[in-house]
Amino acid sequence: MLFIDTKTQNPYFNLACEDYLFHDFNEDICMLWSNTPSLIIGNNQNPYFEINIRKANELNIPIIRRITGGGAVYHDTNNLNFTFIKSRAEPYENLDFSLFLMPIIRALNENGITAELTSRNDVLVNGYKISGNAERIEKNRILHHGTLLINTDLFQMKQLLIPHKTSAKHHFTKSVPHQTANLNDLYKTGRNSKNWFELLRNSLFRQLRLDRYSLSTADHDKIMLLAKTKYMDKHWTFPEDLPHAFKKSAYYTCGLLEADFTAQDNMISNLKLFGDFFQIKDITDLTDAVSDVPLNIYSLEKALQPLDVSEYISGLTTTDFIKFILSLMEEL
């Protein structure tokens, strides 16, 4: 496994670097990195629902879409991020957070921090969330990345991220959400993000037998091109077709599921799905399958028969997805 230090805190470059290494390299990769203040939204999220855009513009903080699912996060230079990219001979069929989080938890434990992994794929210290994580699978390659709150500006984070309204229907027993906290507030170690970078890097080198790799000039040029043509392009983060005429949302065990759509003659069209769920396959295959289909169980079951819904919205059954689609026409 190669260890790569991008040596920059440019969020456009760092996200493009992950994308480039995921798609253009065959080697397994480990990265530790941080960004200047920025708002990073999940691949399936609508920025208008997740971010206080007026405040972000006022503070000149960029909003950037990433290629993994999950929720919106705030980055700054006191937040440390980690990335693992791994290949195997056969295609990945399921997301596997523990595989990549256990080395991080061991690294924290080695340095006097008692950390644990939750079923929601968060890392807790003293009951507080210090790390959120997301993954993406493409055939036999998987990308996992996460955050570590070292001494992040939590006040600014709360100003910029919009909490979801509680009016959305819940289709499972609600759990108590964990409050976020900085590692430095929970353990008075006196270590800054640079200190933690060095401690985690050293631990990961021991655990994973890493080899250093320096990005070549060719690598750098390709990453910069991807940053400019994709991540700096406003249409990547703010697609032109947002928002639609109607919006509905619901909570499932997989997370928040939001739908924007138009409706006519007992059919929905222009369906877009957003949320903090994780995915394995491109969500547009799922939305296309149920668009312009009569809204009844028989027609939806027939339209979805070739697809496995859980591959598009990890943890959601076909039955629950059909119920969600049928609910879109209620009270319109």
Side-chain angles (χ1 to χ4, degrees):
M1 180 175 278
L2 304 179
F3 177 81
I4 295 175
D5 178 0
T6 64
K7 300 184 185 300
T8 181
Q9 294 179 321
N10 183 315
Y12 298 106
F13 184 92
N14 284 330
L15 290 172
C17 184
E18 285 187 314
D19 194 334
Y20 168 70
L21 295 171
F22 183 50
H23 290 107
D24 288 36
F25 271 47
N26 295 316
E27 293 85 356
D28 294 346
I29 305 292
C30 172
M31 295 170 55
L32 290 175
W33 48 285
S34 62
N35 286 334
T36 53
S38 47
L39 291 153
I40 314 300
I41 65 170
N43 187 57
N44 306 303
Q45 291 191 298
N46 185 333
Y48 295 105
F49 304 155
E50 307 295 333
I51 304 296
N52 184 337
I53 294 175
R54 181 192 61 79
K55 189 66 176 179
N57 290 337
E58 178 185 312
L59 297 173
N60 198 30
I61 294 177
I63 304 167
I64 313 170
R65 187 180 300 277
R66 62 179 187 266
I67 62 172
T68 59
V73 293
Y74 171 71
H75 286 182
D76 63 17
T77 56
N78 291 311
N79 171 87
L80 184 59
N81 306 300
F82 52 88
T83 302
F84 296 102
I85 301 172
K86 193 172 179 60
S87 296
R88 68 180 187 184
E90 64 277 9
Y92 284 93
E93 295 181 354
N94 298 295
L95 302 173
D96 188 351
F97 286 80
S98 61
L99 174 67
F100 302 103
L101 283 174
M102 288 314 299
I104 298 296
I105 289 175
R106 283 193 292 267
L108 292 171
N109 292 343
E110 287 175 7
N111 288 282
I113 306 297
T114 302
E116 61 178 323
L117 175 64
T118 72
S119 58
R120 180 59 183 159
N121 313 313
D122 300 326
V123 176
L124 301 186
V125 171
N126 295 348
Y128 289 87
K129 176 180 173 179
I130 65 160
S131 174
N133 295 267
E135 291 187 349
R136 182 181 183 90
I137 287 175
E138 291 188 13
K139 297 181 180 178
N140 68 326
R141 201 145 167 86
I142 186 169
L143 183 153
H144 175 113
H145 54 193
T147 61
L148 275 178
L149 297 175
I150 306 300
N151 196 28
T152 297
D153 187 339
L154 297 181
F155 176 76
Q156 183 149 290
M157 180 179 75
K158 291 175 182 177
Q159 280 189 308
L160 292 163
L161 298 179
I162 298 174
H164 290 124
K165 296 179 180 179
T166 57
S167 59
K169 292 183 178 179
H170 287 76
H171 297 271
F172 67 101
T173 301
K174 291 173 66 177
S175 60
V176 178
H178 295 286
Q179 290 184 308
T180 55
N182 280 314
L183 201 54
N184 278 6
D185 294 330
L186 300 172
Y187 282 79
K188 305 297 183 182
T189 64
R191 298 165 181 160
N192 58 28
S193 56
K194 183 178 180 180
N195 300 144
W196 276 110
F197 177 96
E198 294 170 351
L199 290 169
L200 263 64
R201 179 196 59 197
N202 293 342
S203 176
L204 293 173
F205 263 85
R206 289 193 298 271
Q207 293 184 59
L208 305 176
R209 299 180 180 180
L210 302 176
D211 295 314
R212 293 180 187 274
Y213 177 83
S214 296
L215 295 172
S216 67
T217 301
D219 293 330
H220 190 276
D221 290 345
K222 291 177 182 177
I223 294 167
M224 282 301 301
L225 179 62
L226 186 60
K228 291 177 180 178
T229 58
K230 181 175 182 177
Y231 290 95
M232 297 177 73
D233 183 351
K234 67 177 182 179
H235 299 302
W236 164 246
T237 299
F238 295 89
E240 291 181 345
D241 54 358
L242 295 178
H244 290 304
F246 300 106
K247 171 181 178 284
K248 283 202 170 184
S249 57
Y251 284 97
Y252 293 87
T253 54
C254 64
L256 178 68
L257 187 59
E258 297 175 313
D260 283 339
F261 59 99
T262 53
Q264 187 176 6
D265 299 328
N266 198 40
M267 291 189 293
I268 56 174
S269 303
N270 303 314
L271 176 64
K272 299 289 182 182
L273 293 176
F274 305 97
D276 58 2
F277 54 86
F278 300 110
Q279 69 186 85
I280 297 174
K281 293 185 176 179
D282 186 352
I283 197 74
T284 56
D285 292 339
L286 188 62
T287 55
D288 288 347
V290 296
S291 292
D292 301 313
V293 172
L295 291 186
N296 60 70
I297 293 177
Y298 172 78
S299 297
L300 290 171
E301 285 181 341
K302 184 178 180 181
L304 292 169
Q305 190 172 14
L307 306 179
D308 180 352
V309 170
S310 66
E311 292 184 331
Y312 300 90
I313 304 173
S314 183
L316 190 70
T317 65
T318 299
T319 299
D320 280 339
F321 182 66
I322 289 174
K323 289 180 180 178
F324 176 71
I325 294 300
L326 292 174
S327 75
L328 299 182
M329 294 297 289
E330 296 175 0
E331 301 176 3
L332 287 184

